[in-house]
Amino acid sequence: MSDFPLPILFIMAVFFTMWLILRKFHRIEQRKRALPELNAYLYANNQTEPRCSACESTEFKDEGLSHGKDERRIVSCAKCDTLLYRIVPPERAE
Ligand SMILES: [Zn+2]
C-alpha cells in the first residue's frame, strides 16, 4: 500500500465514503418502501385512529418517499421518529 501514489489513495477514500453514504440512504429507502399502508397498519395494531406504535403519540409528520413533492407519503411519529406507515395515492396503488 505504501507504494500507492497519494492522489489514488485519496480518490479511493472519496469513493468509499460515497459508497457508504449511498448504501445508508438505500437502506433507509428500503425500510420506507417496506412500510404497511394505513389500513394495514391500523389492522396490525388493532387501532381505529392511527397512533404511534412505539410511544402512543398521535402527532405525526409526513415526507415524500423519494423527494419532498412525492405523492407517496411516508408517515412517521413527530415525537420519537419511528417510521409508521405509508400513504399511496390511489392512481399509483400497487
Ligand atoms: Zn412515537
Side-chain angles (χ1 to χ4, degrees):
M1 280 300 266
S2 55
D3 296 339
F4 262 64
L6 204 58
I8 289 181
L9 273 180
F10 176 74
I11 289 167
M12 282 172 69
V14 168
F15 271 96
F16 183 65
T17 308
M18 278 165 50
W19 176 75
L20 281 179
I21 293 170
L22 281 176
R23 198 179 66 157
K24 184 166 182 283
F25 273 102
H26 183 68
R27 285 199 175 167
I28 293 172
E29 175 131 347
Q30 293 286 87
R31 264 172 49 207
K32 288 178 179 174
R33 285 180 190 275
L35 286 172
E37 287 180 44
L38 176 58
N39 285 335
Y41 176 82
L42 291 174
Y43 184 75
N45 292 281
N46 204 12
Q47 298 170 353
T48 47
E49 291 290 316
R51 267 181 288 119
C52 173
S53 54
C55 74
E56 303 282 302
S57 170
T58 51
E59 284 173 49
F60 304 121
K61 58 187 176 184
D62 68 295
E63 55 179 311
L65 176 62
S66 48
H67 54 88
K69 297 250 188 291
D70 199 329
E71 287 184 341
R72 295 163 298 173
R73 310 302 292 177
I74 299 299
V75 180
S76 55
C77 176
K79 280 190 179 163
C80 70
D81 276 337
T82 304
L83 292 171
L84 299 176
Y85 55 87
R86 63 197 172 103
I87 299 170
V88 182
E91 68 272 21
R92 292 171 70 174
E94 294 151 39

